Amino acid sequence: DAKTTQPPSMDCAEGRAANLPCNHSTISGNEYVYWYRQIHSQGPQYIIHGLKNNETNEMASLIITEDRKSSTLILPHATLRDTAVYYCIVRPANFGNEKLTFGTGTRLTIIP
Amino acid sequence: DVKVTQSSRYLVKRTGEKVFLECVQDMDHENMFWYRQDPGLGLRLIYFSYDVKMKEKGDIPEGYSVSREKKERFSLILESASTNQTSMYLCATVGAGGRNEQYFGPGTRLTVT
């Protein structure tokens, strides 16, 4: 998997948008950007993924720069339940039987 | 919603015991995985299975074995538990439909004393 770089921690006020950055300057043309999160003592949870266009689902939005070297996960109205470690990874989409490798991620704390 | 369940959330076993961790999924997914997660080491793949009775070693299979007799069930076995196998164990399956996201179970925190 291509390497990603994320800030180790961030705080965000409850109700505000949380913007989590990720650098992936060595991403290949066929690699997607995936985001997962892990709430304390729970299994990781898939959030969203994208190739080059911006994506939005019921959980979050993903903004990928035009050169694809970085991206931002946006939680539009953060709640206390969004406190978690967020992982950004890059990998080909057609990898069904390959392992996931998480970096150290960003520990997001939502402040009441 | 995909459901991945694991037999126990917390487990305490003694050194030398045989330990069974079970994972069940309800989405008819072919691919299933067992990881362990330790502070500072991230996720490490122990074994995965891409079909019934099929298994492949991951990065750290030593001391573990697996069983997949039915599509929905993937078991991890610690033949003789040791203290260095104290960890969080996570089961995952891979979604279909082109997204290829992995769905994780809640995890089993195993302590070997």
Side-chain angles (χ1 to χ4, degrees), chain A residues 65-79:
Chain A
T65 57
E66 195 166 338
D67 63 7
R68 303 207 326 120
K69 292 185 177 181
S70 65
S71 60
T72 301
L73 178 75
I74 301 171
L75 308 178
H77 305 287
T79 71

Side-chain angles (χ1 to χ4, degrees), chain A residues 10-16 78-80 83 108-112:
Chain A
M10 292 180 65
D11 292 341
C12 179
E14 188 178 15
R16 304 295 295 267
T79 71
L80 297 178
T83 292
L108 175 68
T109 303
I110 306 302
I111 311 295

